[in-house]
Amino acid sequence: MASGQDKIVGAFLLTFSTVVFVYYTLWAIVMPFVDETYFLHAYFPPREYAIRIPCVLLVFGLTVILTFLSMVMIKSKKKVEKKAA
């Protein structure tokens, strides 16, 4: 069973993810069809960042994951060599 703190953290993460999803969806999909002079455009960055930000996050995430995997593989190889010697 999950503790009360786990449920609070899970509820926060779910709420945060939903807010980010709704904001990004409005920004990337809906706002291009809204008139440029409409007041909602003040709450969103330029549209070019709707592509740049996810690409940068993807590259950063893949870099972290691949670095971790390579470090694990190197350590694993050293353990095998140490046992063989």
Side-chain angles (χ1 to χ4, degrees):
M1 249 356 246
S3 68
Q5 186 178 5
D6 289 342
K7 289 181 180 181
I8 291 171
V9 171
F12 172 75
L13 290 174
L14 181 63
T15 304
F16 179 75
S17 299
T18 303
V19 168
V20 169
F21 175 76
V22 169
Y23 181 83
Y24 183 78
T25 301
L26 286 173
W27 178 30
I29 297 175
V30 176
M31 292 309 290
F33 300 106
V34 176
D35 188 28
E36 291 287 333
T37 59
Y38 199 62
F39 75 95
L40 282 179
H41 277 283
Y43 297 106
F44 297 95
R47 272 185 236 133
E48 63 199 29
Y49 292 114
I51 300 299
R52 289 183 183 178
I53 291 172
C55 287
V56 168
L57 290 175
L58 180 67
V59 168
F60 178 74
L62 287 175
T63 301
V64 169
I65 291 168
L66 293 175
T67 301
F68 173 75
L69 287 175
S70 65
M71 291 176 66
V72 168
M73 291 172 61
I74 289 171
K75 286 182 181 181
S76 175
K77 184 177 177 184
K78 286 181 182 179
K79 283 184 182 179
V80 169
E81 290 175 352
K82 193 174 184 180
K83 284 183 180 180

